[in-house]
Amino acid sequence: MRNTSKVTEFILLGIPHTEDLETMLFVLFLSFYIFTLMGNLLILLAIVSSTRLHTPMYFFLCKLSVCDIFFPSVSSPKMLFYLAGKSRAISYAGCVSQLFFYHFLGCTECFLYTVMAYDRFVAICYPLRYTIIMSHKVCAILAMGTSFFGCIQAIFLTTLTFQLPYCGPNEVDYYFCDIPVMLKLACADTSALEMVGFISVGLMPLSCFLLIITSYSCTVYAILQIRSTEGQRRAFSTCSAHLTAILLSFMPVVLIYLQPTPNPWLNATVQVLNNLVTPMINPLIYSLRNKEVKYSLRKVLGEMALIHEK
């Protein structure tokens, strides 16, 4: 007779095939997490403190930095907690929250990259009308829209996952609660839901990616029409930074959610890169390729050094 008692907590088994590596992984991931928080906080400080950077592009970059602070914070603290030898248990509500916020922030970033590509398209293709098209009101609506649609997508995916009964095994063969591993624990047929989830998770990033490619194709065409070599160089420099960040963000989604036969170890490795490494690299991508951000960062760090000396 099947056990019909409801699961009240789950046990996170962690990254597959990493037994006896807990101490090394703890030090490595803690370093990544600290650098991620520090890098994105510095980007925020640099943009907020410099009036020269109070433009739509940097406004969206600010929001990206906020997302990059919270995105790794969904799964990293719990992962570091059990790597330090503490409990691997996570409550049912905690698991639901983890899955919701992971997809909420991930989807918000996905929509945000699309908006940032549109911003570059308008700036380069319609420079004289840029301030009119990308007004403060439009920027606020676009920024709120990324969070709104990210929330809708996350609610749909979370409801889809947790409307299933969980009454049997409670060991999650992963380091946080995500859709593929949670569906394996459900006490019901999940084939139809897997297909719906596959279409939903795949269709949204694919739609955004196609919009981004279209936008950047038009942008590159417009850049090639610029007669000034310096103008071309600056435009390509800005766009290349965006494209690098976009590829780092979208590739893990393809590898994790759209592969025909899931590989737990590969998924976990790619997921760690997506959760910790990409948010850590983003500030470097945008600061190293941008003179204005570098100047503002040096100014902020110089002021912090003076305060410390006093």
Side-chain angles (χ1 to χ4, degrees):
M1 185 175 178
R2 171 173 274 191
N3 180 14
T4 56
S5 61
K6 186 178 178 181
V7 170
T8 56
E9 68 173 20
F10 295 96
I11 308 298
L12 300 172
L13 298 182
I15 302 171
H17 313 301
T18 57
E19 294 79 7
D20 303 321
L21 297 174
E22 285 83 0
T23 304
M24 186 189 75
L25 291 176
F26 175 80
V27 173
L28 182 66
F29 294 156
L30 180 62
S31 303
F32 284 165
Y33 187 50
I34 290 170
F35 281 122
T36 297
L37 297 181
M38 287 177 61
N40 284 289
L41 282 171
L42 281 172
I43 289 288
L44 281 172
L45 281 171
I47 294 171
V48 170
S49 64
S50 175
T51 52
R52 294 170 61 192
L53 301 181
H54 292 178
T55 63
M57 182 176 85
Y58 295 108
F59 170 69
F60 295 128
L61 182 55
C62 255
K63 178 157 188 184
L64 180 64
S65 289
V66 171
C67 288
D68 280 343
I69 287 170
F70 286 105
F71 187 58
S73 300
V74 172
S75 59
S76 298
K78 182 62 183 176
M79 177 176 65
L80 292 169
F81 189 73
Y82 69 69
L83 283 174
K86 307 298 183 183
S87 173
R88 291 174 177 264
I90 183 170
S91 67
Y92 184 91
C95 201
V96 173
S97 299
Q98 232 184 25
L99 192 143
F100 169 78
F101 283 107
Y102 177 78
H103 286 279
F104 166 58
L105 292 163
C107 293
T108 298
E109 280 203 18
C110 191
F111 292 128
L112 187 58
Y113 281 125
T114 310
V115 169
M116 291 171 79
Y118 173 70
D119 171 68
R120 290 300 82 206
F121 164 74
V122 175
I124 292 169
C125 297
Y126 302 99
L128 300 178
R129 297 173 57 198
Y130 178 65
T131 54
I132 298 169
I133 296 171
M134 298 301 291
S135 64
H136 293 307
K137 184 180 178 181
V138 170
C139 288
I141 290 170
L142 288 171
M144 287 189 291
T146 60
S147 295
F148 175 75
F149 288 110
C151 186
I152 295 296
Q153 176 80 347
I155 288 171
F156 171 70
L157 293 172
T158 306
T159 305
L160 191 74
T161 304
F162 287 99
Q163 55 90 25
L164 293 165
Y166 291 90
C167 54
N170 69 337
E171 293 186 340
V172 179
D173 192 18
Y174 215 41
Y175 69 96
F176 77 104
C177 299
D178 198 12
I179 297 170
V181 288
M182 294 310 298
L183 291 181
K184 290 178 182 178
L185 302 179
C187 304
D189 180 26
T190 62
S191 53
L193 291 177
E194 283 174 10
M195 183 56 67
V196 172
F198 178 85
I199 293 169
S200 178
V201 172
L203 191 61
M204 186 275 294
L206 180 62
S207 302
C208 289
F209 191 69
L210 290 174
L211 286 170
I212 289 166
I213 291 299
T214 303
S215 176
Y216 274 113
S217 297
C218 296
T219 304
V220 168
Y221 178 76
I223 291 171
L224 294 173
Q225 306 306 307
I226 299 173
R227 294 182 179 181
S228 163
T229 307
E230 177 62 20
Q232 282 189 351
R233 190 193 64 77
R234 287 187 64 186
F236 270 123
S237 178
T238 304
C239 290
S240 65
H242 289 181
L243 283 170
T244 304
I246 287 162
L247 287 172
L248 285 171
S249 179
F250 278 84
M251 286 308 293
V253 176
V254 174
L255 288 170
I256 294 164
Y257 296 106
L258 303 182
Q259 57 179 309
T261 53
N263 182 320
W265 185 85
L266 175 64
N267 285 0
T269 305
V270 173
Q271 198 78 275
V272 167
L273 292 173
N274 188 40
N275 288 6
L276 283 171
V277 180
T278 301
M280 181 181 70
I281 291 174
N282 275 347
L284 294 174
I285 292 170
Y286 287 104
S287 62
L288 293 177
R289 301 298 296 271
N290 191 304
K291 288 181 180 178
E292 291 177 325
V293 174
K294 281 194 285 188
Y295 173 79
S296 185
L297 272 174
R298 281 197 294 267
K299 189 178 176 182
V300 168
L301 291 171
E303 288 173 358
M304 288 172 68
L306 285 172
I307 292 168
H308 181 70
E309 284 176 7
K310 290 179 182 179

